[in-house]
Amino acid sequence: KARFAATHVNTSDDTVKDCKEMERERLKQELLGRLGGPSLISSSSDPVLADPLTKEPLIMSLKGPILGGGPPLSGISLTLRSSVDSDRVFEGRTTTYINLLEPASTSTLPSESGEDKTSVSSSPILSFLLALTPPPLRSIIANATHYSDDESIPMRDLFTSPSVSFAYERGWRQGFSAAGLPGADKEFEMANEYFAPIIEKKRESSVLVDMSCATGLFTRRFTKNNIYSRVIACDYSDSMLSEARRRIRSDSEIASSSTKLDLVRCDVANIPMKTGSIDAFHAGAAMHCWPEIEASLKEIHRVLVPGGRYFATTFLGTFLGGFWGNYLEYVAKAEGTASGGADMGPSVQAFQYYPSEEYLTDLLVGAGFDEEKVNVEVVGRGGVIIRCEK
């Protein structure tokens, strides 16, 4: 009897261990599935994501234990390793984003010394102008770095400011309607309508990219409507992605969505995705912020599947020049006057300047799109709606 009892207890213990191990593995598979990775094994090639430099596949694996019946509040650490160069390793976390802007070995944290910052207090005229500056821009100017006379400030870099990330959906983005853009809800509807033909053909495996996603204004909409199998939201800005993740976590509808969602930090001029892997590509009010526009459009054309579609909104330079260019030029000139007439301001090219719809069409055709499948529509005072098919 004693021998039987001992055997019975051991068997029960083994069963409990087996159940815990099975539950742990199930959670790993579910987590990888939600991330868009393979659902059969916990370490395998991602079907879309690639090394931004070589475009070779990345091997995704989880790093760290899953305890207590689910992922910890701090999230699960992810490792993505190049399939051809083991030294190229990228990292991410399920509660933040995957950083494919640069390998983990070369990532650097922002300087905390502040030595490279220009002091606002040392500039009376700049301090005065800050009081007149729209709130979203105050932090940008107050923390502006020192630039040489021939240096350019891409607006992409200015959008890394946490103040802009905070303000983006609190009035900043809504102001784009002044150019004639239709507003987020209508733009989302138009994009879905344009993507419908390609998505209907492969609904179970469709992949949409929301490039320059900012705070996830469209990302959340694309995820919640359950039309796309996977949504990959991308941005260059750490602070934008952090704000996007915060808003995603607070949206209960996203938690119940069947759509797999990834947040990825990357550069649109070097998209970390496999060639011919994306069905639908969206970029809302973003193209004018891309420093390398020709390379960026070529990358978009590369990652689209044959028949894949690109939907974007942007602005003509006539609108941007009047709204932003004159303002920033005024700030630079005022600063120079206060410094005894010296030209203290940078040669600012905050935005790409698109003079006409014909100019934009030529850019898209130069990137590889067939002219017959390119439609550039100007709306309002200077808004632009772009539709392209590969």
Side-chain angles (χ1 to χ4, degrees):
K1 291 182 179 180
R3 190 182 304 114
F4 174 78
T7 303
H8 179 72
V9 170
N10 289 339
T11 302
S12 298
D13 289 344
D14 291 342
T15 301
V16 170
K17 290 179 180 178
D18 290 343
C19 288
K20 287 183 177 180
E21 184 62 29
M22 290 174 63
E23 178 63 10
R24 182 175 181 275
E25 187 62 24
R26 183 191 69 79
L27 288 168
K28 289 175 66 176
Q29 304 310 325
E30 180 179 331
L31 182 58
L32 282 169
R34 290 294 296 170
L35 288 166
S39 58
L40 296 178
I41 56 177
S42 60
S43 181
S44 186
S45 174
D46 186 274
V48 175
L49 300 180
D51 186 314
L53 179 63
T54 67
K55 313 305 180 188
E56 296 293 338
L58 291 172
I59 308 301
M60 178 187 290
S61 59
L62 301 180
K63 184 178 180 181
I66 298 178
L67 303 172
L73 293 178
S74 60
I76 297 296
S77 179
L78 305 170
T79 298
L80 297 94
R81 190 180 302 274
S82 170
S83 59
V84 297
D85 184 352
S86 60
D87 290 333
R88 289 184 60 79
V89 179
F90 303 85
E91 294 181 344
R93 185 166 287 276
T94 58
T95 49
T96 54
Y97 58 82
I98 300 171
N99 187 359
L100 296 182
L101 185 62
E102 54 190 358
S105 59
T106 60
S107 296
T108 56
L109 295 175
S111 171
E112 297 180 0
S113 65
E115 295 177 355
D116 59 341
K117 299 294 182 181
T118 300
S119 172
V120 176
S121 61
S122 66
S123 169
I125 187 64
L126 188 51
S127 298
F128 171 75
L129 285 172
L130 282 175
L132 306 177
T133 304
L137 282 181
R138 288 175 188 166
S139 178
I140 295 175
I141 297 176
N143 295 289
T145 56
H146 178 75
Y147 297 97
S148 62
D149 291 343
D150 61 350
E151 198 167 355
S152 172
I153 310 174
M155 184 52 70
R156 175 197 67 183
D157 294 333
L158 298 184
F159 272 97
T160 61
S161 164
S163 297
V164 176
S165 303
F166 178 83
Y168 190 78
E169 290 188 43
R170 296 175 174 89
W172 182 294
R173 183 54 164 82
Q174 290 82 343
F176 293 172
S177 60
L181 295 184
D185 289 335
K186 181 60 177 178
E187 183 176 331
F188 170 67
E189 180 183 324
M190 295 168 69
N192 272 336
E193 181 180 344
Y194 185 63
F195 294 148
I198 183 68
I199 300 303
E200 288 174 359
K201 296 178 181 178
K202 48 186 306 185
R203 185 179 296 272
E204 298 302 318
S205 60
S206 60
V207 180
L208 175 141
V209 166
D210 185 19
M211 182 59 69
S212 298
C213 66
T215 57
L217 182 66
F218 290 97
T219 299
R220 300 193 300 276
R221 288 168 166 80
F222 286 127
T223 303
K224 290 188 289 188
N225 71 358
N226 290 309
I227 291 177
Y228 308 95
S229 176
R230 182 180 185 183
V231 170
I232 304 176
C234 305
D235 206 282
Y236 183 87
S237 167
D238 167 88
S239 61
M240 283 292 190
L241 289 169
S242 297
E243 176 69 11
R245 178 60 73 183
R246 187 191 68 78
R247 289 176 175 271
I248 287 168
R249 282 201 299 261
S250 64
D251 193 325
S252 59
E253 291 184 57
I254 291 181
S256 60
S257 171
S258 62
T259 298
K260 300 171 184 177
L261 173 61
D262 298 316
L263 266 59
V264 174
R265 188 180 184 201
C266 67
D267 185 349
V268 65
N270 213 3
I271 299 175
M273 298 172 196
K274 298 177 183 177
T275 299
S277 61
I278 306 302
D279 303 292
F281 202 108
H282 174 262
M287 281 175 54
H288 49 281
C289 299
W290 297 345
E292 301 173 75
I293 186 60
E294 291 87 355
S296 300
L297 293 175
K298 288 179 180 179
E299 278 287 88
I300 291 171
H301 184 268
R302 178 186 67 80
V303 301
L304 283 172
V305 300
R309 295 192 166 193
Y310 174 49
F311 182 97
T313 54
T314 187
F315 306 101
L316 290 182
T318 49
F319 174 76
L320 290 175
F323 187 71
W324 288 105
N326 294 340
Y327 178 81
L328 292 175
E329 182 180 0
Y330 172 69
V331 171
K333 286 182 177 179
E335 178 72 359
T337 301
S339 303
D343 183 9
M344 300 298 292
S347 175
V348 179
Q349 185 182 341
F351 294 101
Q352 289 287 348
Y353 189 93
Y354 305 131
S356 65
E357 56 188 291
E358 290 79 15
Y359 182 89
L360 280 164
T361 298
D362 288 343
L363 281 176
L364 292 159
V365 172
F369 290 99
D370 189 328
E371 187 170 1
E372 295 181 355
K373 297 181 179 180
V374 172
N375 179 270
V376 179
E377 176 186 3
V378 177
V379 294
R381 293 172 53 197
V384 178
I385 299 173
I386 294 172
R387 300 174 179 86
C388 297
E389 180 180 342
K390 180 174 177 179

